[in-house]
Amino acid sequence: MTFFVDVTVRGYELDTQGHLNQAVYLQYAEHARWELLRAAGLPQDKLLASGVGPVALETTVKFLRELRGGDRVRVTCRFEYGEGKTFTVAQQILKEDGTVAAEVTGVAGMLDLTARKLVADPAAHLASLAENPDLLRG
């Protein structure tokens, strides 16, 4: 199952051409990532209290279709783990008809806030803290 949140494009998020400002796509993606963590039982305060926090190491956005004020979109989020200290964050911003408006992909990690180094196994670490770790598995 891919996690998602629904968002309505607001007028103040538009650029001078009347479509969603490029920076707001990143805000929508960030919102979905935090909502996924929250739904898994890992709100920001709990992560910080445990001594770790998520870090974005790389982000790429592909803009495929314009979004305009009032459009309702679904922002998906999936964590894909491999070997090592980083993982991929795969996201799509979908229009109501299912058309992909944007793809956001990134490389992320979990930062040990004391040592200032990435946690060795982010999947296991997040699962050990989560109330609903199944949501964290892509």
Side-chain angles (χ1 to χ4, degrees):
M1 178 185 94
T2 299
F3 182 83
F4 65 87
V5 295
D6 293 328
V7 179
T8 300
V9 176
R10 296 165 290 250
Y12 63 83
E13 297 172 326
L14 306 179
D15 62 17
T16 57
Q17 289 80 30
H19 57 248
L20 188 65
N21 180 282
Q22 64 176 338
V24 181
Y25 287 84
L26 292 172
Q27 292 172 348
Y28 287 3
E30 179 82 1
H31 173 60
R33 289 191 298 272
W34 277 110
E35 285 301 299
L36 170 54
L37 289 168
R38 189 184 63 72
L42 296 171
Q44 188 175 22
D45 59 342
K46 182 175 180 178
L47 283 173
L48 295 177
S50 76
V52 299
V55 290
L57 303 169
E58 176 183 312
T59 304
T60 302
V61 182
K62 280 185 169 179
F63 302 100
L64 303 169
R65 298 286 184 273
E66 74 174 346
L67 294 174
R68 300 182 58 81
D71 285 350
R72 293 175 47 192
V73 297
R74 177 158 288 177
V75 186
T76 68
C77 187
R78 188 176 71 249
F79 295 167
E80 299 171 350
Y81 304 100
E83 301 294 321
K85 297 178 181 183
T86 63
F87 56 96
T88 299
V89 181
Q91 298 184 263
Q92 290 185 320
I93 300 175
L94 305 162
K95 297 177 90 166
E96 279 189 292
D97 67 2
T99 301
V100 180
E103 294 176 345
V104 181
T105 56
V107 177
M110 294 304 296
L111 184 69
D112 179 314
L113 299 173
T114 302
R116 309 306 290 180
K117 295 185 184 276
L118 293 177
V119 171
D121 185 349
H125 191 83
L126 286 171
S128 74
L129 297 172
E131 295 168 14
N132 189 356
D134 290 341
L135 287 176
L136 301 172
R137 295 187 189 106

